[in-house]
Amino acid sequence: MDDNEMWRVVQTCDLAEASKAVFDQYFSDRQELNQQLKKLGVTRKQMSLAFKRYYDMKPAEYLIQVRIAAAKQALQAGASVFDAAADSGYTNFSSFYAHFRKLSGMPPAKYRQLFAQNISRAIMDTPIGPLRIVASQEAILCVEPENYLEKKAGRATEQVPADRIIPNDPSGDLVKACMRELKEYFAGQRQKFDLPLSPEGTSFQQKVWQQLQQIPYGETRSYQQVAEMTGDKNASRAIGLANNCNPILILIPCHRVIGADGSLTGYAAGLAAKKLLLDLEKGRAKK
């Protein structure tokens, strides 16, 4: 390598490391980030070429990684999804959602549920398989199959942290209360749940989930009937999607929604689990 080649390598290294330092420090402030990049004294193209050559990735790709890493730390500390997005430099929530899901294998709200320091979680063995229960200090956030994230993503997701029931904390008390009430439900000793619920979803989904809780134990409704319950008889397809997105199984009884012809339709824990729940309820409701 001659002297000129060595000089170019040194320049590339210095420029790449300098731009990386700017991204690391100013990722959350777009205006200041752009100003600091200008101070490097090169064009954006020159900086991008040097960065790609030295780190084998585009600057934009690295910036996304830095921002999502910061968002994860914020969510673990208990920040809301909106605050985590804004504080990590995102002005477009759709982009934040897409980037977060791509890098972590799950939506930011789900990540917060599983990793936040002030949230309790536990796996409970049940007749329909292991269920993950997650609770904040105020409400139950999630009841889902243990492997639901992997099945939905079609691949292994970021490692889920071990169970943690925070002692002497309302979140831990809610997880234990949920496990107790589910045990009573499967034993045929409980038909209604006495727990505060806080499912994450759109306003329409929230409306549908509220209606699902009005379906009596031991009975079923078709998607069309649920649509009529929400006041929009033409929304049966949207009802189906909202039903499929229900994050709190059994407590929000999406298993009680079936096809118009009486056929069982999709269920997060599988059709066998749905049949088991319906059979359990019908058998107990007759007694």
Side-chain angles (χ1 to χ4, degrees):
M1 183 182 296
D2 59 28
D3 290 344
N4 288 334
E5 177 99 15
M6 177 67 75
W7 177 242
R8 283 194 295 271
V9 170
V10 171
Q11 284 184 313
T12 297
C13 173
D14 289 345
L15 177 56
E17 291 183 339
S19 57
K20 178 179 178 297
V22 171
F23 292 134
D24 289 340
Q25 185 171 354
Y26 300 103
F27 66 89
S28 63
D29 187 330
R30 289 175 177 268
Q31 184 175 354
E32 186 65 26
L33 175 66
N34 289 329
Q35 291 178 352
Q36 291 297 325
L37 289 176
K38 287 181 180 179
K39 289 182 180 181
L40 296 177
V42 297
T43 66
R44 190 63 66 91
K45 183 177 181 179
Q46 289 173 317
M47 183 273 291
S48 296
L49 289 173
F51 196 98
K52 179 71 167 63
R53 180 176 180 180
Y54 192 68
Y55 291 112
D56 196 30
M57 70 168 55
K58 297 178 181 179
E61 295 172 333
Y62 179 72
L63 183 57
I64 289 172
Q65 290 185 1
V66 172
R67 285 174 169 162
I68 296 303
K72 286 181 177 180
Q73 290 184 347
L75 292 171
Q76 289 176 23
S80 69
V81 173
F82 180 82
D83 287 344
D87 293 345
S88 58
Y90 279 91
T91 57
N92 185 310
F93 187 79
S94 295
S95 294
F96 171 70
Y97 186 95
H99 293 163
F100 195 101
R101 186 156 195 163
K102 181 178 180 180
L103 292 182
S104 67
M106 66 184 80
K110 174 60 67 176
Y111 184 92
R112 183 182 184 278
Q113 287 181 359
L114 295 177
F115 288 83
Q117 298 167 5
N118 59 349
I119 287 178
S120 290
R121 56 189 174 270
I123 300 297
M124 175 184 179
D125 287 328
T126 77
I128 64 170
L131 295 178
R132 176 182 291 112
I133 301 168
V134 184
S136 67
Q137 295 180 331
E138 293 80 30
I140 300 297
L141 303 175
C142 172
V143 175
E144 68 181 8
E146 180 185 14
N147 63 348
Y148 184 62
L149 283 173
E150 287 77 8
K151 288 174 62 178
K152 192 170 184 180
R155 60 183 174 84
T157 61
E158 183 170 333
Q159 184 176 1
V160 175
D163 294 359
R164 179 191 61 185
I165 297 181
I166 304 173
N168 302 315
D169 186 88
S171 67
D173 294 340
L174 279 171
V175 168
K176 288 186 284 189
C178 186
M179 294 174 73
R180 181 177 63 253
E181 293 196 9
L182 281 171
K183 184 177 180 180
E184 294 169 352
Y185 167 83
F186 282 110
Q189 300 166 353
R190 174 177 291 275
Q191 297 187 3
K192 293 184 179 180
F193 295 92
D194 302 315
L195 297 166
L197 308 180
S198 182
E200 183 82 21
T202 66
S203 58
F204 177 77
Q205 289 173 334
Q206 298 279 358
K207 184 178 181 180
V208 172
W209 298 334
Q210 289 173 4
Q211 293 301 322
L212 295 183
Q213 294 175 72
Q214 306 307 312
I215 304 175
Y217 181 95
E219 298 185 16
T220 59
R221 298 289 186 272
S222 68
Y223 291 100
Q224 182 61 47
Q225 288 174 315
V226 176
E228 292 171 357
M229 290 166 62
T230 64
D232 186 352
K233 63 181 181 180
N234 297 316
S236 58
R237 289 186 180 275
I239 296 295
L241 181 58
N243 200 63
N244 183 60
C245 293
N246 172 28
I248 305 180
L249 300 186
I250 302 177
L251 282 69
I252 298 178
C254 57
H255 61 278
R256 295 176 190 162
V257 183
I258 62 176
D261 60 357
S263 61
L264 301 186
T265 52
Y267 189 60
L271 293 184
K274 185 170 186 173
K275 184 178 186 305
L276 186 152
L277 295 175
L278 292 175
D279 288 347
L280 181 153
E281 293 185 3
K282 289 178 180 178
R284 295 291 178 177
K286 293 177 180 179
K287 294 182 179 181

